[in-house]
Amino acid sequence: MAADDHTVLQLSTPSTANLSAKVHPLVIFNICDCYVRRPDQAERVIGTLLGSVLPDGTVDIRNSYAVPHTESAEQVALDIEYHHNMVVSHQKVNPKEVIVGWYSTGLGVTGGSALIHDFYSREVPNPVHLTVDTGFRNGEGTIKAYVSVNLALGDRQLAAQFQEIPLDLRMVEAERLGFDILKTTAVDKLPNDLEGMEVTMQRLLALIDDVYKYVDDVVEGRVAADNSIGRFISDTVASLPKLSPSVFDKLVNDSLQDQLLLLYLSSITRTQLGLAEKLNTAAQIL
Amino acid sequence: MANSMAKSFLQAAATEEVVSPLRVVQIEGLVILKIIKHCKEFSPALVTGQLLGLDVGSVLEVTNCFPFPIREEDEEIEADGANYQLEMMRCLREVNVDNNTVGWYQSTILGSYQTVELIETFMNYQENIRRCVCIIYDPSRSNQGVLALKALKLSDSFMELYRANSFTGEKLREKNLSWMDIFEEIPIKVSNSALISAFMTELESDTPVTQCDYDRLQLSSNPYMERNMEFLIECMDDLSVEQQKFQFYYRSLSRQQAQQQAWLQKRRADNMQRKAAGEDPLPEEDPSNPIFKPIPEPSRLESFLITNQIANYCNQINGVSGQSFNRLYLMKSLHDN
């Protein structure tokens, strides 16, 4: 199998075929924040991505920071010392976070990006390049991730090509909590427990209403019946445990009483505290 | 002309700036996410970090933050910690982040954050910064579906007392300070830049029900309540230890009083005798006698803190019970239907 000049362009095989990336929303926040704060003459922001590589090969991107850089038509200069300092500082806090790639804002990949990617590939074997389109050029904010794949013609390395890999945006539970807060531009007050409960119950009610309406529509023939949805609904209704009313009442009442007990205890404690306070400071000797 | 200018400058320098009271803490979504992530990664260990931002009028804006590495008990790490801080601030300055320290954040378990260290850290910060705030985040409550984030500040009257380092009964009565006045909680407002909110709205479209709703509707809150009660009981034990200290103090004080009276009587009797014998009376006071040494009154700071802590736990229990009631009634009505 002698290499011939007319052989087909070979893409080196995907050891990266099943590579995908997971991004935490914190990273997106960081990038947007850095973009908003960029110095006036810079068009885009470049920075490093930190995270870890999971055992099944996916890259988990957890944190990021911006790196000052200057860019002109011909060359790109990156502040390498700053980059190293930040990595060291971040690793002091969380030694498991290592460099996994880099990001830049703006759609598409430019020539300068290839140089930067090259620099990063010297630090990490296979860096991931993330682009975040802050300009919303396609009418939506696109976030894409690329890895570099080597193009070889026979034995000769020709060029490196940026190949897109699937991206997954994950959110941890605690972050989901704050999610409503994070979506709007301003929230006046953090909801406390009872208000949150209220919101949740309203949502539940809305859901139940939707299901009701759907079932009514199907029965009256307004909407075509979908068997899978029907099965879902019947499963849900059947999952309510079959308890006789007396047993159920007893359960509910027992829990109620437990809660009431705790409430009573805590109220007593608080009264006690108030009393002790008065006694302590009011006591006068002589 | 120059004279009047100089005078007005002096006047300006001499007049004190009117410090408007802090009314609201405005946090960016970015900071909240960072705090959540940091505290969650290291839970159950307790972690801290620094808050950066701007102090504007009656609003304290927090725009960024960075975590502190976990410090081991080692001498050289102290200098390292300071270096790390300077390094981070310098680097953040280069990317145009406000590198103005406005406070710090720390994580806590079930709300047990009121310790003397907290107060001391506050005092340390207060010396350099005019207004600083401490944000407390409780990751253990997030699986109840609640974002437990609080902004705290020491009240001014408490700070004065602390500086004078006197926590005796009379001083407290003078200032009318009770355990509720130590910490002031400041309401939090969240703000986000438009870019971020555009991104977020796109990434996660408005689903009718989110994961946190599922968490909130979960019926089992027993383990959480149990832990809360355990903490409460421990605190009560601590409080009773403090009370015993007080009782001991009072008892010894009254014993000393009795001794003093007895001694005084004896002295008076002696004096009468001496007068009868024509000698000079002895003084009625004898400072060198050990029974006149004043016994120091134990500081009430600890008991205040513990009381605060207990109140906190009680509040939490109340909150969670409220939620449970809601859930139980909801279940009941669902079942009936």
Side-chain angles (χ1 to χ4, degrees), chain A residues 5-208:
Chain A
D5 267 353
H6 300 292
T7 38
V8 175
L9 205 60
Q10 269 177 3
L11 300 170
S12 79
T13 39
S15 52
T16 56
N18 49 359
L19 189 67
S20 66
K22 285 189 159 100
V23 176
H24 284 231
L26 175 63
V27 175
I28 312 283
F29 263 75
N30 247 337
I31 298 179
C32 290
D33 187 60
C34 295
Y35 181 75
V36 170
R37 288 175 190 277
R38 70 190 185 290
D40 290 327
Q41 66 276 25
E43 262 193 23
R44 60 179 189 158
V45 182
I46 291 186
T48 314
L49 294 171
L50 300 171
S52 58
V53 179
L54 300 175
D56 65 352
T58 43
V59 178
D60 188 25
I61 304 178
R62 286 208 286 263
N63 205 347
S64 68
Y65 59 84
V67 177
H69 74 105
T70 47
E71 200 171 351
S72 63
E74 301 94 26
Q75 55 164 340
V76 180
L78 207 58
D79 193 345
I80 298 186
E81 193 188 319
Y82 179 93
H83 161 72
H84 278 307
N85 280 343
M86 286 295 260
V87 174
V88 165
S89 302
H90 276 255
Q91 288 201 320
K92 275 199 202 141
V93 177
N94 197 345
K96 282 186 280 190
E97 284 186 1
V98 292
I99 306 179
V100 293
W102 64 289
Y103 69 82
S104 83
T105 57
L107 192 60
V109 183
T110 68
S113 309
L115 291 170
I116 306 180
H117 198 87
D118 196 37
F119 162 70
Y120 274 96
S121 49
R122 268 176 259 144
E123 312 241 343
V124 168
N126 201 359
V128 172
H129 172 46
L130 193 71
T131 55
V132 176
D133 183 15
T134 47
F136 284 80
R137 239 168 287 174
N138 286 342
E140 53 168 27
T142 31
I143 306 181
K144 289 193 199 282
Y146 302 94
V147 282
S148 139
V149 167
N150 282 327
L151 295 176
L153 187 63
D155 276 339
R156 284 183 321 178
Q157 296 284 347
L158 263 191
Q161 184 208 34
F162 279 110
Q163 208 177 48
E164 194 179 333
I165 60 176
L167 193 58
D168 178 24
L169 285 148
R170 270 204 323 193
M171 218 187 268
V172 194
E173 313 77 42
E175 293 165 351
R176 279 178 187 275
L177 268 187
F179 190 60
D180 289 338
I181 306 181
L182 297 173
K183 249 202 275 194
T184 58
T185 37
V187 169
D188 275 329
K189 178 165 111 66
L190 288 182
N192 71 2
D193 325 342
L194 290 180
E195 288 168 9
M197 271 308 268
E198 210 183 308
V199 167
T200 306
M201 292 213 276
Q202 277 174 358
R203 286 211 194 113
L204 189 61
L205 253 183
L207 276 184
I208 295 184

Side-chain angles (χ1 to χ4, degrees), chain A residues 26 37 82 85 89 93-94 97 141 182-185 187 196 200 203 207 263 266 270 277 281 286, chain B residues 37 41 84 87 91 96 173 179 189-190 192 197 202-203 206 208-209 211 213 216 225 257 315 318:
Chain A
L26 175 63
R37 288 175 190 277
Y82 179 93
N85 280 343
S89 302
V93 177
N94 197 345
E97 284 186 1
L182 297 173
K183 249 202 275 194
T184 58
T185 37
V187 169
T200 306
R203 286 211 194 113
L207 276 184
L263 205 59
S266 69
R270 291 179 68 176
E277 170 63 29
T281 45
L286 309 175
Chain B
K37 171 179 177 284
E41 268 176 10
Y84 170 82
E87 196 59 38
C91 291
N96 285 347
R173 247 192 322 255
W179 52 265
K189 229 165 74 134
V190 178
N192 276 321
S197 84
E202 188 182 304
L203 291 176
D206 281 304
V209 174
Q211 181 61 35
D213 292 324
R216 277 196 201 124
M225 294 291 254
Q257 300 280 352
N315 283 340
N318 284 350

Side-chain angles (χ1 to χ4, degrees), chain B residues 43-223:
Chain B
S43 107
L46 300 178
V47 290
T48 58
Q50 182 99 304
L51 293 172
L52 308 164
L54 290 171
D55 186 3
V56 179
S58 69
V59 175
L60 189 66
E61 291 188 19
V62 180
T63 50
N64 212 328
C65 69
F66 61 83
F68 283 147
I70 300 202
R71 260 201 312 194
E72 292 125 52
E73 308 298 322
D74 200 351
E75 284 292 320
E76 25 181 83
I77 311 280
E78 282 293 331
D80 256 0
N83 272 345
Y84 170 82
Q85 215 171 338
L86 288 173
E87 196 59 38
M88 280 303 266
M89 305 269 273
R90 196 174 59 80
C91 291
L92 287 173
R93 177 99 193 76
E94 287 190 25
V95 279
N96 285 347
V97 175
D98 315 310
N99 68 341
N100 209 7
T101 313
V102 294
W104 82 101
Y105 68 84
Q106 66 183 56
S107 71
T108 172
I109 308 231
L110 277 188
S112 58
Y113 51 82
Q114 275 130 2
T115 57
V116 186
E117 285 101 26
L118 185 67
I119 298 190
E120 295 199 346
T121 324
F122 248 118
M123 299 306 285
N124 279 341
Y125 270 89
Q126 202 73 14
E127 291 179 7
N128 301 333
I129 318 169
R130 218 180 45 182
R131 283 207 295 218
C132 70
V133 80
C134 171
I135 296 200
I136 309 267
Y137 175 65
D138 194 348
S140 52
R141 290 195 73 191
S142 61
N143 55 1
Q144 296 273 320
V146 176
L147 183 65
L149 204 64
K150 262 205 265 212
L152 285 182
K153 181 172 103 71
L154 276 185
S155 66
D156 294 327
S157 43
F158 179 74
M159 275 198 294
E160 287 168 26
L161 263 190
Y162 191 75
R163 276 198 198 113
N165 211 3
S166 64
F167 280 104
T168 55
E170 305 115 52
K171 286 275 174 56
L172 292 169
R173 247 192 322 255
E174 272 173 38
K175 302 265 189 166
N176 209 2
L177 193 69
S178 81
W179 52 265
M180 286 180 284
D181 297 331
I182 299 186
F183 292 111
E184 262 173 44
E185 191 178 326
I186 311 178
I188 298 184
K189 229 165 74 134
V190 178
S191 79
N192 276 321
S193 72
L195 184 62
I196 291 190
S197 84
F199 260 107
M200 282 292 130
T201 326
E202 188 182 304
L203 291 176
E204 291 260 337
S205 47
D206 281 304
T207 52
V209 174
T210 61
Q211 181 61 35
C212 76
D213 292 324
Y214 293 136
D215 288 334
R216 277 196 201 124
L217 287 176
Q218 230 182 19
L219 283 176
S220 111
S221 59
N222 281 346

